[in-house]
Amino acid sequence: MKRWLTLLLCASAAVAQKPKADADPARDLFARPGVVQVQITLDDAARQHLREKPREYATARLQLGEQQFAAVGVKLKGAAGSFREFDDGPGFTVHLGKFGGEASFHGLVRFHLNNGAQDESRLSEWLGHELFQAAGHPAPRVTHARVRVDDRDLGVYVFREAFDRQFLQRCFGDVHGNLYDGGFCQDIDADLEKDSGDGPDDRADLRALCELCRGVDADRAEALAKAVDLTRFLDFAALEAMLGHWDGYCQNRNNFRLWLPTGAGAVFLPHGMDQLLGDSEAAVLDHPPAFVASAVMQVPALRKRYRERLRALLPLFAPARVQARFDAVVRALEKEYATLDAERRRQHLDAARDLLQRLQDRHRALEKLVRGPEPKPQALAVGKSLALRTWHPAAETEGVELGKKDYRGVATLMLACTGDGDGARHAAFRCNLLLAHGRYQLRAVARCEGVRADDEHGMALRVDGAASELGRGDHNWRPLRCDFEVGEFQRNVELRLDLEAAAGKAWFRFDSLQLVRLPD
């Protein structure tokens, strides 16, 4: 009896220690470089549905490798730079359980097929997520796919894990909280869409975080430590900056997900990393404008920790550490591109070599940048003006047009709300400056035509919560002014040229865009 009991206890212990075989069935899919063969088959009604309502799921038959699925949900994806119509080369979100059932592919119920419209190498997203994961920060996993829709061969795509309940369970161990989609060029003060999680739907957690981080408060360090997972956020901010992810949360308030777990600190998750490493000298010490990033960087102790993390994460960017896995992925893609036309193969190889070279250039630059001096605010004497030359377009919604254009021989920044005029559209140009404590005025000369907006919107200059006089309807050239104040010792301030309207155009004279320091 004693020997039998001993054997039973040993067997029980062995069972208890044995890991679950299906704990992460997708691990092998993403661990080994490869290309998933994807065939999407649609009927006439589904094709027309995706042409007319691209953001809504249509029913499709699907083959993934050897697996076949009779009725899955497929819709188009992508923002202003990457969205393509159905008859072009669209990106797809695939939901295997959208119309019922418990089907999965390597345990995945939902995933994305990104078209690489802004990345001919198809490697930028893979590299960005690889580096986030190497740093121990939660991030979706990436591999590749060959996508065919009916009889069209769309070529090589990026296959990416979705932000969903499975992702939350894998990365955080539970789904108690709310996962928010950052949307398009929005900060946490927007009514962000809830993606997943079982927390309340009243957005109270989002509003509380926003109020905590808004404006200037020298005494909120303790509250920040409770509301934000600061260890993870400092890594998130550092990695975005080191990767030159200019279109991410900290710099552009775009391309992010926000996990607000019940009873724990907020975690920001990376997204949309298809345009990395564009500028080898991109700053890593600039004070970011996004709400949470700005609040964190205003705390001297957290600023010090951020700089320490920049230096600690630097070895991850060493090309020698990345090279072997990078080459393995390129080889896997090369086998697929060899079956496509020679031009697409050449473009991919050139883009892959270019991305690796940009990583090498970035690593060399980072070795100096992470040890650089603290940025100094823009020096501006009282009464003096500064010409503002660097503006970045930001399409806050679809149905807008932005560009640097001449208006009857005058250089301008032009914003237009286009389309059918149904519903408000929002376009902006942004300029970020690190400014010292004091009072300032943003100035411009502008005109507008056919601007249809309500009493709170139209053509305007905006800085933080301050705004100039609004322009609506038709106006010839006239001066606009927007006064604002930097209350802390220094702050990265975002200056905006705005047009928010159902329809209309606005022009801002480029030579009139100035910042003036006002008397205190």
Side-chain angles (χ1 to χ4, degrees), residues 337-346:
Y337 275 100
T339 66
L340 294 167
D341 62 86
E343 180 60 18
R344 278 198 280 183
R345 182 186 184 192
R346 182 194 63 77

Side-chain angles (χ1 to χ4, degrees), residues 37-51 58-63 74 76 86-88 90 92 113 146-155 157:
Q37 300 297 319
V38 179
Q39 173 68 56
I40 300 171
T41 304
L42 304 159
D43 60 22
D44 290 342
R47 290 186 205 100
Q48 194 59 28
H49 178 94
L50 292 176
R51 291 184 181 108
T59 305
R61 286 187 289 117
L62 182 70
Q63 182 165 343
V74 175
L76 306 195
F86 173 74
D87 293 302
D88 191 355
F92 296 95
L113 299 169
R146 175 78 169 271
V147 178
R148 297 172 176 86
V149 178
D150 298 325
D151 58 354
R152 290 190 294 153
D153 187 345
L154 300 185
Y157 274 48

Side-chain angles (χ1 to χ4, degrees), residues 71-257:
V72 306
V74 175
K75 66 179 179 179
L76 306 195
K77 70 176 297 289
S82 61
F83 181 80
R84 297 293 183 271
E85 299 290 346
F86 173 74
D87 293 302
D88 191 355
F92 296 95
T93 294
V94 178
H95 194 324
L96 299 180
K98 179 63 180 177
F99 300 115
E102 298 181 355
S104 67
F105 178 66
H106 290 268
L108 302 175
V109 175
R110 191 161 66 94
F111 56 87
H112 304 290
L113 299 169
N114 295 342
N115 59 12
Q118 296 175 294
D119 174 29
E120 288 186 347
S121 76
R122 304 297 193 269
L123 292 164
S124 183
E125 284 190 273
W126 172 84
L127 178 61
H129 287 88
E130 185 83 0
L131 289 170
F132 265 92
Q133 291 167 46
H137 193 90
R141 295 168 294 186
V142 171
T143 186
H144 293 86
R146 175 78 169 271
V147 178
R148 297 172 176 86
V149 178
D150 298 325
D151 58 354
R152 290 190 294 153
D153 187 345
L154 300 185
V156 176
Y157 274 48
V158 175
F159 184 113
R160 185 176 66 75
E161 185 178 17
F163 291 104
D164 57 11
R165 293 177 68 87
Q166 292 165 291
F167 172 85
L168 294 175
Q169 193 67 47
R170 177 176 71 82
C171 293
F172 302 104
D174 65 56
V175 295
H176 301 306
N178 290 318
L179 177 66
Y180 293 105
D181 182 341
F184 187 57
C185 290
Q186 299 181 127
D187 209 327
I188 62 170
D189 59 335
D191 188 20
L192 303 185
E193 179 183 351
K194 179 178 172 180
D195 260 0
S196 191
D198 62 2
D201 294 332
D202 59 6
R203 304 297 195 279
D205 53 356
L206 195 60
R207 289 194 298 273
L209 179 62
C210 182
E211 288 308 309
L212 172 63
C213 295
R214 191 187 296 277
V216 183
D217 184 352
D219 300 320
R220 63 182 163 199
E222 184 176 345
L224 272 176
K226 295 178 180 178
V228 179
D229 186 330
L230 291 173
T231 298
R232 281 176 163 155
F233 185 80
L234 292 171
D235 277 8
F236 172 83
L239 288 164
E240 277 203 333
M242 297 172 84
L243 284 163
H245 189 21
W246 64 270
D247 201 23
Y249 174 69
C250 293
Q251 294 301 322
N252 203 35
R253 289 172 287 194
N254 196 25
N255 286 317
F256 70 95
R257 296 295 189 273

Side-chain angles (χ1 to χ4, degrees), residues 8 311 361 407 423 485:
L8 179 62
R311 292 191 291 273
D361 294 343
Y407 181 88
E485 184 173 359

Side-chain angles (χ1 to χ4, degrees), residues 21 65 103 164 191 194 232 261 333 364 443 454 498-499 513 519:
D164 57 11
D191 188 20
K194 179 178 172 180
R232 281 176 163 155
L333 295 185
R364 282 193 295 269
R443 296 178 178 177
D454 59 30
D498 257 25
L499 178 63
L513 302 173

Side-chain angles (χ1 to χ4, degrees), residues 21 24-34 36 106 141-143 325:
D24 182 13
R27 182 184 293 108
D28 289 345
L29 174 67
F30 294 106
R32 293 192 298 266
V36 180
H106 290 268
R141 295 168 294 186
V142 171
T143 186
R325 185 150 167 78

